[in-house]
Amino acid sequence: MHYASIVMLIVEAFSLFTQQSLPACKPVLTPEWVVEIVERYDIGCVPEPFRIDKVPKYMKAPIYIYYQLENYYQNHRRYVKSRSDKQLLHGQNEHGISSCQPVEVNNDRPIIPCGLIAWSLFNDTFTFIRNRAELKVNRKNIAWKSDREHKFGKNVYPFNFQNGTLIGGGKLNPTIPLSDQEDLIVWMRTSALPSFRKLYGRIEKDLDVDDVVVVHLMNNYNTYSFGGKKKLVLSTTSWLGGKNDFLGLAYVFIGSSSVTIAVVFTLLHLLSPRH
Ligand SMILES: *[C@@H]1O[C@H](CO)[C@@H](O)[C@H](O)[C@H]1NC(C)=O
Ligand SMILES: *[C@@H]1O[C@H](CO)[C@@H](O)[C@H](O)[C@H]1NC(C)=O
């Protein structure tokens, strides 16, 4: 085979891949035993509770609750840089916060945590009711352990946060150190894709088929201004095994094809070395 035709093949495979029409690349992302309920909740005004009509299948605990945002560019260059990792870990005194523009000070005092990402913290809340009894939601251990231990300080407390005239999102309890502000930690692990899910909590009771779950929500977070969508997801898989595998698959595909290409070219080279 000719180099050129191999390259053509690769290019072809690649364009098929980017169009997502490559047959070999269609693994079953949702195995049958994964049950997932997705409800969009931001259409119209939704102050009243909405109901998940019927649980389609028995769902074994833990049931993960995610909020899903769409058309939300957490990967925008200015947004994603607007944070201070040093401040998050060490607090205000040790290091500069100029990277946090345009949300670094308010009334001449530094903001902790500073930056656009923290300032735009998601602030919708959900409660779940089944048969008139509240289903408890465990909101602990929703953030990565490594983030809690190594990226957010145990002795760093929110200060002067959301204290300006323009409120960007959720507030933080100033008596809880950043390492325990799990909603913030989850939010600040920014998504590379404009549609993403973030873990909100876990329901630690099984849901039976045909159960009716009523969701009371506070629809606080403003996505209307940029045409975003908000959805609530109940799923029996954790995030890593969840549905949004595209990026992971892409990396694996590109990685393994690079290896294959390398092997092919090495073989070609060995078979007919240039003189
Ligand atoms: C919050 O703002 C008010 C006035 O806008 C100010 O008096 C107060 O000190 C600020 N809080 C912090 C923690 O800086
Ligand atoms: C929630 O965030 C929005 C901005 O998206 C803000 O206008 C609102 O005041 C916040 N509400 C609460 C209760 O934090």
Side-chain angles (χ1 to χ4, degrees):
M1 235 202 274
H2 220 255
Y3 282 62
S5 58
I6 292 173
V7 171
M8 277 312 294
L9 265 178
I10 293 165
V11 168
E12 210 167 285
F14 234 89
S15 61
L16 277 174
F17 173 66
T18 48
Q19 292 159 20
Q20 294 192 45
S21 50
L22 200 64
C25 212
K26 240 192 247 165
V28 184
L29 292 183
T30 353
E32 268 184 45
W33 60 85
V34 172
V35 185
E36 199 164 278
I37 301 171
V38 183
E39 297 264 348
R40 186 169 174 194
Y41 67 86
D42 60 346
I43 337 173
C45 294
V46 204
E48 73 270 24
F50 76 90
R51 51 176 51 218
I52 290 168
D53 275 333
K54 272 179 182 159
V55 173
K57 261 188 185 176
Y58 171 73
M59 292 174 89
K60 190 166 167 38
I63 298 158
Y64 298 90
I65 306 163
Y66 303 90
Y67 53 91
Q68 176 168 323
L69 296 180
E70 293 176 15
N71 200 28
Y72 193 113
Y73 288 81
Q74 262 202 325
N75 60 350
H76 187 282
R77 195 168 48 86
R78 276 190 60 199
Y79 181 88
V80 85
K81 280 164 62 178
S82 183
R83 64 190 287 157
S84 162
D85 288 331
K86 286 178 178 166
Q87 188 208 52
L88 292 172
L89 188 58
H90 302 294
Q92 67 176 85
N93 298 323
E94 305 202 10
H95 301 281
I97 50 171
S98 54
S99 63
C100 281
Q101 276 170 21
V103 191
E104 72 265 46
V105 288
N106 176 47
N107 288 332
D108 293 330
R109 307 169 92 177
I111 297 171
I112 304 177
C114 65
L116 267 177
I117 307 177
W119 181 75
S120 61
L121 175 63
F122 187 75
N123 67 353
D124 287 359
T125 58
F126 312 93
T127 46
F128 298 84
I129 288 155
R130 177 180 60 174
N131 302 333
R132 301 220 177 83
E134 182 168 345
L135 281 167
K136 284 237 173 62
V137 177
N138 184 349
R139 309 255 287 125
K140 290 255 178 270
N141 295 321
I142 56 173
W144 292 18
K145 195 159 174 275
S146 55
D147 282 1
R148 274 185 277 140
E149 289 176 356
H150 305 297
K151 296 196 169 163
F152 291 78
K154 287 186 178 53
N155 299 312
V156 183
Y157 293 83
F159 178 80
N160 201 15
F161 184 70
Q162 305 289 16
N163 197 23
T165 40
L166 200 58
I167 306 294
K171 302 206 158 113
L172 297 173
N173 180 338
T175 64
I176 299 177
L178 294 191
S179 59
D180 290 335
Q181 304 265 8
E182 293 203 53
D183 284 324
L184 176 77
I185 300 175
V186 168
W187 180 251
M188 293 202 70
R189 180 161 276 284
T190 49
S191 167
L193 299 170
S195 291
F196 55 87
R197 279 177 188 185
K198 287 186 182 285
L199 189 56
Y200 179 82
R202 284 179 302 273
I203 295 175
E204 286 166 342
K205 275 190 182 149
D206 299 358
L207 292 182
D208 284 321
V209 70
D210 291 347
D211 268 358
V212 174
V213 177
V214 177
V215 185
H216 288 263
L217 64 95
M218 299 293 284
N219 188 14
N220 295 321
Y221 201 67
N222 184 356
T223 46
Y224 301 99
S225 56
F226 56 87
K229 288 183 190 165
K230 298 193 285 190
K231 292 177 181 171
L232 178 68
V233 180
L234 297 185
S235 173
T236 53
T237 33
S238 72
W239 188 58
L240 289 174
K243 263 184 114 183
N244 216 339
D245 292 345
F246 178 76
L247 204 62
L249 285 173
Y251 287 153
V252 170
F253 179 80
I254 292 167
S256 46
S257 31
S258 308
V259 171
T260 315
I261 294 164
V263 169
V264 167
F265 276 84
T266 311
L267 284 178
L268 284 174
H269 180 72
L270 289 177
L271 289 177
S272 60
R274 283 199 211 169
H275 298 294

